Amino acid sequence: MKTQFFFRHLIAIASLATLIISCNNDDDFTAPPVISGEQQLKDTLTIGKTLRLSSRIKDRSNLSFQWTVDGKGVSSDSVYTFKPETRGDFKIEMTAKNNGGDVKLTYDIHTWGAYENGFFMINEGWYGHGTGTVGFYRYDTKAIEDSIFVKVNPDKNLKPESSTLEFGTIINKKLFLVSKAAGPVVVADAYSLKEEKRIPAQAGNDWRAIVAIDENQALLTSGKGIFKLNLNAMELNGQLEGVTGQVGDIVKVNNYIFALSAAKGVLVINAATLAVEKTISSMVLGFAVTEDKKVWAAGGTKLINIDSNTLEVKEIALGFQAYGSWGAWHPGSITAAQNDVFIARNASFSGGKEIYKYTGDVASLARPFITLTGVNILYGAGIGYDKKKNTLVVNTVDSGFGANFANNNLYLFNADSGAKTGGVSFSGYYFPAVSVFQQ
């Protein structure tokens, strides 16, 4: 019995010792770091800007930090300032560590190109007083940046001053700028706007618009037909046979190219053979392309759509006279959102105040979708659709003459409801031509 009592007493002493040791260890315990809030975050910024990233840890005592960008160590501070040199997606990870363990925080950052997070404003310029200009409306600041092409390319220009910059589009991530009246065709990176190539300005040039056939070839419309263009060398390679006179707007859908001729209306061109397969006369305004791959144009009091597979033409009563702009050409005042078509009711050149929306029901053309107020009138193409924001972009000047043309407004309307969602007023003889949206 004495022996059993001895062992029980010894076990009790050992248990007490273990309890004392455990308490001492608890006193020395270090809690691992704790992040405040979510541990995986997203953000964006534009090249040229910086973004200060926090570790999101309140108690930073006795901690070590490690920041990596796409797996490469970049900092050991508790905060990190990210300044990207290229556009794209970056994964930034922060690891905080102490004796109790570690914790990770991830930032997924998308970096926009310098001129990606917004849209371009192509301005024809004040004829005889200066060249056309390229502006940029930035989504985050809701402001317009002026004359960005010459700011990015200080050793380049869009001269002669007698030319007008009337058209722009993005092909293969390149912004193409097309000038009339002896001006150049310029190719710039669509994100940085740095010039890469050009067809030099020279007497006899009279360009209108451009469309890509494939990655290597394009068609360039002009005051005297359609020219074939090698996109790699930026060299002309002859003209399309049988197409003469002024040709303006041009689009490619499926296996056909649709071009608007002042003399013949819509020319339907086989994209493989470059032969004209069909002509649709009396059309003066084009083009919009809906998601169902129909091509839209207008002439007289008719709105038409062309099935890009069968080339079948359907006519819709427009309810008002459609006008083109052959006297002083600018891109057509027509655009599309999904399967809806927007068309401006212009005067004989520009100057309209009403924008109609055709939704597939002729009743939708009974009244304007948007009516401009006050002295505002459309100028140039006047309307464009921004798919990224589901916004109808509208350019206006004041009605009248002279100094009235220096009063500009950029309006943004919800493409579904027609409600105005924003706008910027600015001064200067810009003469807006067309908006160009990143793809």
Side-chain angles (χ1 to χ4, degrees):
M1 295 293 295
K2 290 183 178 180
T3 304
Q4 290 178 349
F5 175 79
F6 174 77
F7 279 110
R8 286 197 203 99
H9 183 65
L10 184 62
I11 291 171
I13 293 173
S15 298
L16 178 62
T18 301
L19 177 63
I20 293 172
I21 292 171
S22 297
C23 290
N24 288 338
N25 285 344
D26 286 344
D27 290 341
D28 294 338
F29 176 74
T30 301
V34 177
I35 289 174
S36 175
E38 296 182 21
Q39 293 181 231
Q40 187 155 5
L41 303 169
K42 293 183 178 182
D43 212 334
T44 64
L45 80 163
T46 298
I47 284 179
K49 306 294 184 180
T50 59
L51 188 63
R52 187 175 184 270
L53 304 177
S54 168
S55 61
R56 296 171 64 89
I57 295 177
K58 292 182 179 180
D59 184 4
R60 302 179 184 177
S61 57
N62 300 317
L63 290 178
S64 63
F65 295 90
Q66 178 64 46
W67 292 84
T68 64
V69 177
D70 292 339
K72 181 180 179 181
V74 291
S75 176
S76 58
D77 293 334
S78 61
V79 296
Y80 172 61
T81 299
F82 179 53
K83 186 176 182 180
E85 296 181 357
T86 58
R87 61 177 292 275
D89 295 308
F90 297 87
K91 183 176 290 293
I92 302 176
E93 290 186 329
M94 183 280 304
T95 302
K97 183 184 297 186
N98 64 13
N99 291 335
D102 60 55
V103 67
K104 291 184 182 293
L105 173 65
T106 300
Y107 285 92
D108 291 313
I109 308 295
H110 178 75
T111 301
W112 303 108
Y115 297 102
E116 185 176 3
N117 193 30
F119 59 84
F120 295 104
M121 301 170 62
I122 310 302
N123 304 304
E124 67 181 40
W126 190 7
Y127 180 79
H129 294 79
T131 68
T133 60
V134 180
F136 190 75
Y137 176 83
R138 201 172 289 281
Y139 294 139
D140 52 359
T141 64
K142 296 179 172 59
I144 297 170
E145 297 172 15
D146 180 36
S147 301
I148 57 174
F149 176 78
V150 293
K151 290 176 181 177
V152 173
N153 303 280
D155 58 335
K156 307 291 184 181
N157 61 62
L158 299 172
K159 291 181 178 180
E161 293 180 349
S162 59
S163 67
T164 54
L165 179 61
E166 292 289 359
F167 184 82
T169 192
I170 294 176
I171 300 172
N172 299 336
K173 299 181 182 180
K174 309 297 180 185
L175 176 65
F176 282 69
L177 303 172
V178 182
S179 298
K180 294 189 334 185
V185 177
V186 173
V187 185
D189 182 271
Y191 303 123
S192 70
L193 212 61
K194 194 69 178 176
E195 180 177 326
E196 296 181 356
K197 302 173 185 177
R198 70 165 56 199
I199 296 175
Q202 62 180 6
N205 285 1
D206 196 17
W207 310 121
R208 295 290 185 270
I210 188 171
V211 69
I213 302 172
D214 53 35
E215 292 186 355
N216 303 308
Q217 305 173 82
L219 295 181
L220 183 61
T221 64
S222 75
K224 50 186 178 182
I226 302 177
F227 288 76
K228 293 180 281 187
L229 175 66
N230 182 305
L231 290 172
N232 299 313
M234 278 300 286
E235 293 179 351
L236 299 175
N237 186 28
Q239 291 185 246
L240 263 60
E241 293 184 9
V243 181
T244 59
Q246 188 172 187
V247 183
D249 291 278
I250 187 167
V251 295
K252 180 179 182 290
V253 188
N254 288 328
N255 298 318
Y256 293 97
I257 295 163
F258 301 81
L260 194 63
S261 162
K264 296 184 179 181
V266 176
L267 306 177
V268 183
I269 302 165
N270 185 300
T273 65
L274 299 184
V276 177
E277 290 197 2
K278 187 170 185 174
T279 300
I280 306 169
S281 63
S282 303
M283 295 295 106
V284 298
L285 176 64
F287 292 105
V289 180
T290 43
E291 288 188 351
D292 57 9
K293 302 300 182 182
K294 291 181 180 177
V295 179
W296 298 76
T301 57
K302 296 176 182 178
L303 176 67
I304 70 166
N305 68 57
I306 312 162
D307 187 307
S308 61
N309 288 307
T310 65
L311 303 186
E312 179 185 357
V313 178
K314 180 181 178 180
E315 297 182 353
I316 299 103
L318 187 55
F320 57 85
Q321 179 72 38
Y323 288 103
S325 57
W326 296 118
W329 185 83
H330 61 70
S333 301
I334 185 171
T335 190
Q338 291 84 48
N339 287 321
D340 298 329
V341 177
F342 299 91
I343 181 169
R345 183 176 182 175
N346 279 342
S348 58
F349 169 65
S350 285
K353 295 181 73 70
E354 296 175 345
I355 301 167
Y356 287 76
K357 179 181 180 179
Y358 178 67
T359 62
D361 182 354
V362 71
S364 62
L365 294 170
R367 62 187 60 84
F369 180 64
I370 295 168
T371 300
L372 299 175
T373 59
V375 295
N376 288 174
I377 58 171
L378 298 168
Y379 193 90
I383 60 174
Y385 176 65
D386 186 353
K387 184 176 181 179
K388 287 187 175 181
K389 300 295 182 179
N390 191 34
T391 297
L392 191 66
V393 176
V394 175
N395 287 100
T396 75
V397 295
D398 285 359
S399 60
F401 299 96
N404 291 23
F405 289 117
N407 299 323
N408 304 270
N409 288 286
L410 172 71
Y411 292 124
L412 308 175
F413 296 91
N414 181 280
D416 293 328
S417 67
K420 187 165 72 171
T421 59
V424 181
S425 298
F426 55 104
S427 298
Y429 292 100
Y430 292 96
F431 298 96
V434 68
S435 299
V436 178
F437 306 99
Q438 291 283 4
Q439 298 170 344

